[in-house]
């Protein structure tokens, strides 16, 4: 997909000033990596009289799916068409809008260090978008852009020129012409491209309200199609739309009264605001693990894959945990954990309760036997799937604590992370992320194979559609299960 921005000039105001505004030199072809492909900026023409900048977005649709192990985010209507074959590489959409804000971020903010006077000057601009999805047709395109001062040409694109009887597609070839500041033109496109497509490639959260208001500053509060723009930009989420509309009304009232928004919206004193901030997921996860350990009446605990020692630090606060062992393969992580825990300055009684050891969870280790509980918090997803059986035997078959607690991300919840690009896992080192069904299947098989019972606990807000952000399995082995399993192992031996 691509668009072009053209302007004309004179010897006093050369058209090549466009290069200064865009912060991209006309003599260079530049490429920028994005999470969904590569953006290219080139200048097909650059002279005193006329200058054109082209933004080409090369979308890797296959990688977009495969990076998420086939788990698409599914937030956009077009996701139902197909995962691999769709219009994303060819038609302007939220992908192109995000590329605009990323590649031309300084231009959108209206800053130009080389020529500070340029951003405030209107330019004779011509913007061309050859393939623009328009749910609402050419009439809606004109209704959105003409109130902003653009002369609009929106020609419907035929489904197939060889078969005119098939009619027009939902795409138009768009040409905008008008005297505009470049920053305003880019903000118009940033908001209205996904509005016309009526879809976004990522989950829309409350942050999108702030993005909309920033990009819509100076034009959206008075736009006759304000409600439609707001609703579509926020993927028709009524709560966010209502929030945005209320804030836009405040802006309108402030402009009418020639006041600052803060002067009007002063009903609440921020210093006395008692609204609680959301608890971070990592804290909720540790709280859930500690609660499960207490429920299991565990005193001697292994933190397998302890990382930088956050859970060990939390367990040390409760004297019921008499022995805590942190195990990690990384000496660097153990060094950081030691500093976090201040082991070198810890009192004798406290230091007797904690120990950090290096070890690999892919191998059996006699040092890990005989403990009440073991915790694998956000660990299994960092292993390649073929290595999971080795970890399974080392923990459940060899060490055999009475209780094993495993937490791992729920990939279904990823659609709720607006900042997570489509198709991506939550961390670059994650080898996989499981659905609830996949995790329950794995945990059930492990429990049956090693004589444990298992129950599942949601961690974080339990979304009715996609479940909680973290899924936790609590494995427990009773006396009879332990005897049966030991007898089975002795017989096998």
């Amino acid at each position: 997909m691509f668009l072009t921005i053209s302007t004309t000039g004179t010897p006093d105001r050369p058209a090549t000033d466009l290069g200064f505004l865009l912060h991209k030199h006309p003599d260079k072809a530049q490429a920028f990596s994005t999470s969904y492909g590569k953006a290219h900026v080139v200048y097909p023409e650059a002279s005193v009289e006329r200058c054109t900048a082209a933004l080409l977005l090369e979308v890797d649709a296959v990688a977009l799916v495969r990076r998420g192990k086939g788990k698409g985010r599914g937030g956009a209507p077009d996701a139902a068409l197909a995962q691999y074959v769709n219009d994303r590489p060819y038609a302007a959409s939220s992908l192109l809008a995000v590329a605009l804000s990323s590649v031309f971020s300084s231009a959108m903010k209206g800053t130009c260090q080389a020529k500070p006077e340029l951003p405030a000057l209107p330019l004779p601009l011509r913007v061309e978008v050859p393939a623009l999805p328009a749910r609402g047709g050419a009439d809606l395109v004109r209704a959105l852009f003409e109130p902003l001062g653009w002369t609009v040409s929106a020609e419907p694109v035929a489904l197939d020129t060889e078969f005119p009887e098939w009619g027009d597609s939902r795409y138009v070839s768009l040409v905008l012409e008008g005297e505009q500041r470049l920053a305003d033109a880019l903000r118009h496109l940033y908001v209205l491209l996904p509005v016309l497509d009526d879809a976004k490639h990522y989950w829309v959260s409350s942050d999108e309200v702030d993005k909309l208001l920033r990009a819509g500053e100076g034009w959206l509060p008075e736009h006759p199609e304000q409600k439609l723009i707001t609703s579509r930009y926020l993927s028709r989420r009524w709560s966010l739309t209502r929030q945005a509309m209320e804030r836009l009304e405040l802006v309108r009232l402030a402009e009418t009264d020639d006041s600052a928004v803060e002067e009007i919206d002063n009903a609440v004193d921020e210093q006395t605001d008692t609204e609680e901030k959301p608890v971070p997921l990592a804290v909720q996860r540790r709280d859930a693990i500690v609660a499960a350990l207490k429920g299991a009446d565990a005193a001697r605990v292994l933190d397998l894959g302890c990382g930088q020692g956050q859970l060990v630090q939390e367990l040390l606060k409760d004297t019921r945990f008499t022995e805590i062992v942190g195990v990690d393969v990384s000496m660097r992580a153990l060094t950081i954990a030691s500093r976090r825990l201040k082991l070198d300055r810890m009192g004798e009684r406290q230091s007797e309760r904690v120990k950090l050891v290096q070890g690999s969870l892919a191998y059996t280790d006699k040092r890990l036997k005989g403990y009440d509980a073991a915790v694998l918090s956000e660990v299994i997803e960092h292993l390649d799937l073929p290595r999971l059986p080795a970890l399974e035997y080392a923990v459940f078959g060899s060490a055999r604590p009475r209780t094993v607690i495993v937490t791992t991300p729920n990939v279904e919840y990823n659609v709720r992370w607006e900042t997570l690009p489509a198709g991506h896992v939550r961390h670059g080192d994650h080898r996989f992320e499981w659905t609830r069904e996949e995790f329950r299947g794995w945990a059930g098989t492990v429990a049956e194979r090693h004589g444990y019972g298992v129950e599942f606990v949601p961690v974080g807000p339990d979304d009715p559609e996609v479940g909680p952000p973290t899924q936790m399995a609590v494995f427990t082995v009773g006396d009879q299960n332990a005897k049966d399993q030991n007898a089975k192992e002795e017989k096998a031996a």
Side-chain angles (χ1 to χ4, degrees), residues 322-334:
T322 59
E323 184 178 352
I324 306 155
V325 178
V327 182
D328 205 284
V329 73
S330 168
M331 276 306 301
R332 182 172 180 272
L334 292 173

Side-chain angles (χ1 to χ4, degrees), residues 367-389:
R367 296 175 297 176
L368 307 184
K369 291 186 177 183
Y371 284 84
D372 299 329
V375 177
L376 289 158
S377 179
E378 310 300 286
V379 170
I380 61 173
E381 63 274 9
H382 290 273
L383 275 71
D384 292 317
L385 284 171
R387 303 191 70 184
L388 270 185

Side-chain angles (χ1 to χ4, degrees), residues 92 172 324 332 440 484:
V172 299
I324 306 155
R332 182 172 180 272
R440 286 172 179 263
D484 293 345

Side-chain angles (χ1 to χ4, degrees), residues 24-305:
K24 305 293 180 287
H25 199 289
D27 292 339
K28 297 179 181 179
Q30 295 176 266
F32 305 87
S33 294
T34 72
S35 57
Y36 38 79
K38 186 165 287 189
H40 303 267
V41 178
V42 297
Y43 286 77
E45 54 183 344
S47 65
V48 171
E49 294 78 20
R50 184 174 175 84
C51 184
T52 298
L55 174 65
L56 170 67
L57 182 59
E58 190 178 11
V59 177
D60 189 345
V62 174
L64 194 63
V65 176
R66 288 183 175 172
R67 274 196 292 266
K69 308 298 183 184
K71 307 297 179 186
R73 302 193 67 183
D78 282 352
L81 296 176
Q83 290 195 81
Y84 293 97
V85 182
N86 48 54
D87 65 356
R88 285 180 294 179
Y90 316 108
S93 65
S94 60
L95 287 166
L96 185 58
V98 172
L100 274 173
S101 68
S102 175
V103 176
F104 299 139
S105 59
S106 297
M108 281 187 65
K109 294 173 185 174
T111 60
C112 179
Q113 293 182 355
K115 295 189 175 184
E117 73 283 359
L118 283 182
L121 300 176
L123 302 176
L125 294 177
R126 178 183 173 92
V127 178
E128 297 183 54
V129 185
L132 173 66
R135 298 180 188 272
D139 290 340
L140 179 59
V141 177
R142 285 188 284 269
L144 294 181
F145 282 103
E146 285 180 349
L148 301 174
W150 292 103
T151 299
V152 181
S153 172
E155 296 296 327
V157 176
L159 279 172
D160 193 319
T161 54
E162 297 295 323
F163 301 93
E165 64 272 16
W166 288 3
D168 296 328
S169 68
R170 68 183 183 94
Y171 305 94
V172 299
S173 177
L174 175 66
V175 178
L176 303 174
E177 293 183 295
E179 291 269 340
Q180 298 275 357
R181 294 191 316 135
L182 181 63
D184 293 336
L186 293 174
R187 288 201 292 263
H188 297 165
L189 293 167
Y190 174 74
V191 172
L192 297 180
L193 290 183
V195 166
L196 284 164
D197 190 24
D198 200 12
K200 286 200 170 182
H201 68 282
Y202 55 84
W203 177 255
V204 173
S205 71
S206 57
D207 291 346
E208 291 295 294
V209 175
D210 295 326
K211 293 180 185 178
L212 174 63
L213 295 183
R214 282 197 298 269
E217 184 179 359
W219 62 271
L220 184 56
E222 301 298 332
H223 199 290
E225 298 295 339
Q226 177 199 102
K227 187 172 183 179
L228 180 143
I229 293 170
T230 304
S231 176
R232 284 195 175 193
Y233 184 86
L234 298 171
S235 295
R236 303 179 187 271
R237 294 189 62 189
W238 68 269
S239 60
L240 297 183
T241 302
R242 183 180 63 183
Q243 178 185 340
M245 294 295 291
E246 290 172 352
R247 290 173 62 179
L248 285 168
E249 179 62 14
L250 274 176
V251 172
R252 190 190 67 79
L253 291 173
E255 291 176 349
T256 301
D257 197 41
D258 196 22
S259 304
V261 172
E262 293 77 10
E263 294 177 16
I264 295 178
D265 189 21
N266 61 359
V268 177
D269 183 355
E270 292 184 359
Q271 294 182 350
T272 60
D273 187 7
T274 58
E275 183 179 353
E276 295 183 2
K277 295 181 179 179
V279 179
L281 180 59
V283 175
Q284 296 182 59
R285 190 161 49 236
R286 286 197 293 273
D287 289 346
I289 291 170
V290 172
L293 290 171
K294 290 178 180 178
D297 199 24
R300 304 175 66 240
V301 179
L302 297 168
D303 183 8
L304 305 178

Side-chain angles (χ1 to χ4, degrees), residues 447-451 481-493:
E448 182 178 0
R449 185 180 293 135
H450 297 283
N481 281 340
K483 291 176 182 178
D484 293 345
Q485 184 66 18
N486 289 335
K488 187 184 299 182
E489 291 178 357
E490 289 174 5
K491 186 177 180 180

